[in-house]
Amino acid sequence: MILSGREIAQQVEQGNITIQPFDRKKVNPNSYNLSLHNELLVYENEVLDMKKPNPTQLLTIPKEGLLLEPGKLYLGRTKEFTTTSKFVPMLEGRSSTGRLGLCIHVTAGFGDIGFAGYWTLEIHCIHPLIIYPDIDVCQIYYHTIQGDFDLYDSGKYQNNTGIQPSLMYKDFESD
């Protein structure tokens, strides 16, 4: 079952969901808007190798905006830090940004119960698009969970402090 916006706000007040900073004006009927930080990462190599760390370049989104190019992957992050050990967090783009052809996650909109950190956004656009820092770019919503469960405890992405490029190469280190 998906939590209503009012329930999300109530769970934040009770300490069962953390959204920092929290702004009641960003509560929707069944989600909460998250905003875009002012930095992006882009991969430097044209060909990426999932068995190796892939170097990235940091871009700053100026107040005047930054032009995104189609066919390019940009990694961004939310300004908000979130965590919960009671609900399953999910991330989706907002319809307003989607209608401009801006996609905020390639496949990673599903969160794990217990994840704590900033959400890394896998951003790409259909048309050239100018983006700005601090815009409400996506929304988080929460599902209840049924049955016994284990909390997310991966060392790869837990308690991150910035944009996280893929750390998939670590999955191959035991080979």
Side-chain angles (χ1 to χ4, degrees):
M1 197 169 262
I2 295 174
L3 298 182
S4 70
R6 289 181 186 181
E7 185 65 20
I8 292 170
Q10 186 174 347
Q11 293 296 327
V12 167
E13 288 174 13
Q14 293 174 2
N16 295 321
I17 293 175
T18 299
I19 301 173
Q20 300 241 344
F22 181 78
D23 181 350
R24 219 170 235 296
K25 290 181 270 183
K26 293 185 173 203
V27 176
N28 300 313
N30 54 294
S31 64
Y32 181 89
N33 286 345
L34 298 177
S35 54
L36 180 64
H37 193 267
N38 71 340
E39 295 177 336
L40 299 173
L41 288 181
V42 291
Y43 288 109
E44 292 178 354
N45 297 341
E46 237 178 88
V47 176
L48 304 178
D49 186 339
M50 62 176 54
K51 283 190 169 187
K52 298 177 182 175
N54 291 283
T56 58
Q57 175 186 0
L58 182 68
L59 303 176
T60 300
I61 306 170
K63 288 182 183 180
E64 303 79 39
L66 178 72
L67 177 64
L68 299 186
E69 303 168 25
K72 194 168 191 175
L73 177 64
Y74 300 87
L75 299 177
R77 79 161 174 90
T78 61
K79 285 182 69 174
E80 295 83 4
F81 177 95
T82 72
T83 189
T84 179
S85 59
K86 295 197 179 286
F87 304 102
V88 179
M90 304 287 291
L91 198 70
E92 286 294 338
R94 295 181 60 225
S95 63
S96 295
T97 54
R99 291 172 193 193
L100 292 170
L102 183 68
C103 304
I104 59 94
H105 68 78
V106 175
T107 62
F110 187 83
D112 286 307
I113 191 167
F115 168 74
Y118 299 94
W119 287 76
T120 294
L121 308 173
E122 301 112 8
I123 300 169
H124 66 97
C125 59
I126 307 300
H127 295 278
L129 179 67
I130 299 172
I131 62 164
Y132 300 88
D134 306 320
I135 59 167
D136 287 348
V137 72
C138 59
Q139 52 196 334
I140 192 168
Y141 61 103
Y142 296 89
H143 283 271
T144 55
I145 190 165
Q146 186 173 346
D148 295 334
F149 60 87
D150 296 314
L151 293 176
Y152 176 81
D153 67 355
S154 170
K156 289 195 300 187
Y157 303 111
Q158 187 72 322
N159 292 307
N160 66 60
T161 57
I163 304 167
Q164 296 287 281
S166 176
L167 301 177
M168 187 174 207
Y169 67 90
K170 293 184 176 198
D171 296 346
F172 294 95
E173 289 177 349
S174 62
D175 292 349

